[in-house]
Amino acid sequence: MTAETLLDGSALSAAPRLLGCLLERDLGGTKLIGRIVETEAYDQEDVASHSYRGETERTKVMFGPPGHLYVYFTYGMHYCANIVVGPRGHGAAVLIRALEPLEGIPLMQAYRHGRSVEELTNGPAKFTQAFNITSELNGHNLKISPLTLRVQPALPANEVVRATRIGISRGRELPWRFYVRGNPHVSVK
DNA sequence: CGGCAGATACGCT
DNA sequence: GCGTATCTGCCGT
């Protein structure tokens, strides 16, 4: 499946499909690679989504073309990264909640103040810290350096767990979180 | 390991 | 003002 086919669809269809795909970060000669193991879908028609109340200065990237990165700052200190999906004008994205580190682990540990491999990328703000992703990359096109998405074959259905989303108040009953069964880098099992 | 408080800036009401 | 798509350290079991 091409990235276009995957990202042109809804957040709910793209979120499980992004499991197993690779994120590659280029940092001055060093390459970081992680495998996506946990995602959440956010749609314009969803009270938990930043796009629910329409397009604003903060959320405009969500309403832009698919395949770009939506980065937001929260709790006064954390960045979270999403992959924008769906057509222009529709505010939808998939939150990347956790990765499995594959390459460049020493540099990830440097950005994460020496934490263990298990604690490097098992959370949305942990992964952005390990990959040095900040608001500078808000709106970035994921087809190009320094951050690219590499689509991989879909995982077998029995490896994908569907669950409720984390950290929200409204909309928490919707099972719009997906993660890789048994993977140690998932934030909440 | 589970629960809880604190950190700390910003968008939105 | 208030709540936040979170993380960490510290406490007790």
Side-chain angles (χ1 to χ4, degrees):
Chain A
M1 182 185 254
T2 64
E4 285 70 26
T5 309
L6 169 55
L7 301 174
D8 283 348
S10 69
L12 196 54
S13 64
R17 191 58 194 73
L18 281 166
L19 296 177
C21 295
L22 304 181
L23 277 178
E24 184 173 318
R25 179 83 164 105
D26 301 315
L27 285 162
T30 304
K31 183 178 294 186
L32 307 180
I33 300 179
R35 179 175 172 260
I36 298 171
V37 298
E38 184 180 2
T39 60
E40 283 179 1
Y42 287 89
D43 185 83
Q44 191 172 338
E45 307 302 318
D46 157 26
V47 293
S49 176
H50 291 169
S51 58
Y52 181 67
R53 289 188 165 75
E55 184 173 344
T56 66
E57 185 60 28
R58 177 175 70 149
T59 64
K60 63 183 181 185
V61 173
M62 285 186 80
F63 290 82
H68 289 233
L69 196 72
Y70 167 52
V71 181
Y72 67 87
F73 181 70
T74 191
Y75 290 104
M77 64 194 85
H78 298 303
Y79 295 98
C80 294
N82 302 248
I83 296 175
V84 175
V85 300
R88 288 176 192 253
H90 185 84
V94 175
L95 172 70
I96 307 303
R97 284 196 57 88
L99 300 182
E100 176 179 345
L102 295 184
E103 191 174 320
I105 289 173
L107 185 54
M108 293 185 206
Q109 287 180 310
Y111 284 122
R112 289 278 295 136
H113 311 292
R115 295 205 115 81
S116 70
V117 174
E118 302 279 307
E119 285 289 325
L120 278 187
T121 54
N122 60 334
K126 295 178 184 178
F127 132 67
T128 57
Q129 187 179 39
F131 271 54
N132 194 30
I133 292 171
T134 69
S135 53
E136 289 179 10
L137 283 173
N138 188 37
H140 172 74
N141 182 351
L142 290 167
K143 285 182 179 171
I144 62 178
S145 179
L147 183 65
T148 53
L149 172 71
R150 291 165 55 180
V151 173
Q152 300 293 115
L155 296 184
N158 65 351
E159 287 187 29
V160 177
V161 181
R162 187 171 184 175
T164 54
R165 295 175 292 182
I166 303 297
I168 55 175
S169 49
R170 296 169 306 164
R172 64 182 183 279
E173 65 285 346
L174 295 176
W176 284 9
R177 181 167 68 104
F178 301 87
Y179 62 89
V180 178
R181 187 182 303 280
N183 189 280
H185 300 91
V186 171
S187 67
V188 179
K189 276 95 173 178

